[in-house]
Amino acid sequence: KVAAHHIDFHTFSAKAKIDFVSGNDSQQGISAYVRIQKDSAIWISVRPLLGIELARVLITPDSIRIINYFKKMVAVRSFGYLQQIVNILYDFSTLQDLIVGNPVYFSDSVSEVQQTPSVVSFVCTGNDYINRFNVFADFYLLQENKLTDTDSAHHRSCDLTYGDYKQIDSLQFPSRRKIFVSDKKVTQILIEFNKVDMNEPVSFPFPVSSRYLKE
């Protein structure tokens, strides 16, 4: 029943408002424009409250390219750079599932099923993680999943909550997300999506000025 709500898509585009707190760094009311070509590219344009583009990011399965318009710099990094920023070992496929609202690290290895009139909870276990899911008991839509690293030396966990579902075509899309990552530092992210489109043509413009410094 949970798998029946999997959001399958070819392309995805949306605007999102993001509040971000990590350690001493805090950003409120950021606008992000997101485009995805499934299994190929994730394109993000970041704009603060004033609306002037601050950065542009192009993520592929093996690399990340970043234009910092404020510092007039361009950088190319491995995908591992993103894993260091969010403190979670997400691969490209997991990241795109996270953005479109699919359960992450979801598998058939289900155990510890518990049911109440409002919530069904269960656990999926992998080699490196334990993932506890809560789903709404009426339609089996995601409410929360908490991913915990099985390596006790890391004490790393990520709590994802989903809400404010909106129907897009025949799909149920969770337009509000909360992400709470606990590792060496705590990272909190609130994302509110709007203007969501699926399976419409998308482009990934990434012009780089020859005057920008390369990092």
Side-chain angles (χ1 to χ4, degrees):
K1 290 181 178 180
V2 176
H5 292 294
H6 182 86
I7 297 174
D8 197 12
F9 68 101
H10 299 293
T11 64
F12 171 91
S13 61
K15 180 183 177 182
K17 183 171 81 78
I18 300 174
D19 296 335
F20 175 90
V21 178
S22 182
N24 295 323
D25 186 16
S26 175
Q27 300 289 336
Q28 306 293 318
I30 298 172
S31 291
Y33 297 82
V34 184
R35 301 173 187 174
I36 303 176
Q37 182 80 45
K38 185 179 179 182
D39 299 332
S40 177
I42 299 172
W43 178 97
I44 303 171
S45 173
V46 180
R47 300 170 185 266
L49 289 173
L50 296 178
I52 300 171
E53 189 172 23
L54 179 64
R56 192 171 294 191
V57 182
L58 182 61
I59 305 171
T60 63
D62 58 2
S63 69
I64 299 174
R65 299 171 65 194
I66 305 167
I67 302 175
N68 186 322
Y69 292 104
F70 180 73
K71 295 183 178 180
K72 294 181 170 53
M73 297 179 67
V74 59
V76 179
R77 298 284 188 269
S78 69
F79 193 88
Y81 175 75
L82 181 63
Q83 295 171 339
Q84 294 173 14
I85 292 176
V86 298
N87 299 318
I88 298 180
L89 298 179
Y90 282 171
D91 58 15
F92 184 89
S93 178
T94 306
L95 179 61
Q96 70 180 6
D97 274 338
L98 176 66
I99 293 172
V100 303
N102 285 325
V104 297
Y105 290 103
F106 180 67
S107 70
D108 292 332
S109 62
V110 174
S111 62
E112 300 183 35
V113 179
Q114 301 178 27
Q115 186 163 3
T116 71
S118 58
V119 174
V120 179
S121 66
F122 57 93
V123 170
C124 291
T125 304
N127 292 330
D128 304 315
Y129 65 87
I130 298 173
N131 202 1
R132 178 171 293 279
F133 289 90
N134 291 334
V135 298
F136 295 106
D138 48 4
F139 297 111
Y140 287 81
L141 294 169
L142 279 172
Q143 181 194 60
E144 179 183 20
N145 76 264
K146 183 170 184 177
L147 185 69
T148 305
D149 197 325
T150 56
D151 186 346
S152 59
H154 285 138
H155 301 290
R156 177 167 51 189
S157 66
C158 178
D159 196 4
L160 310 172
T161 59
Y162 305 76
D164 196 11
Y165 278 86
K166 301 184 185 303
Q167 184 165 325
I168 300 174
D169 297 328
S170 60
L171 303 170
Q172 293 294 329
F173 177 79
S175 64
R176 183 180 175 88
R177 322 278 176 80
K178 292 181 180 178
I179 305 172
F180 185 94
V181 179
S182 178
D183 192 7
K184 295 177 182 178
K185 62 181 178 180
V186 172
T187 300
Q188 300 179 71
I189 306 171
L190 172 64
I191 307 174
E192 296 179 337
F193 287 92
N194 56 58
K195 298 181 180 178
V196 177
D197 289 303
M198 294 192 188
N199 302 322
E200 299 291 336
V202 293
S203 60
F204 305 98
F206 205 80
V208 179
S209 171
S210 59
R211 293 175 295 178
Y212 279 20
L213 294 175
K214 291 181 174 57
E215 188 179 88

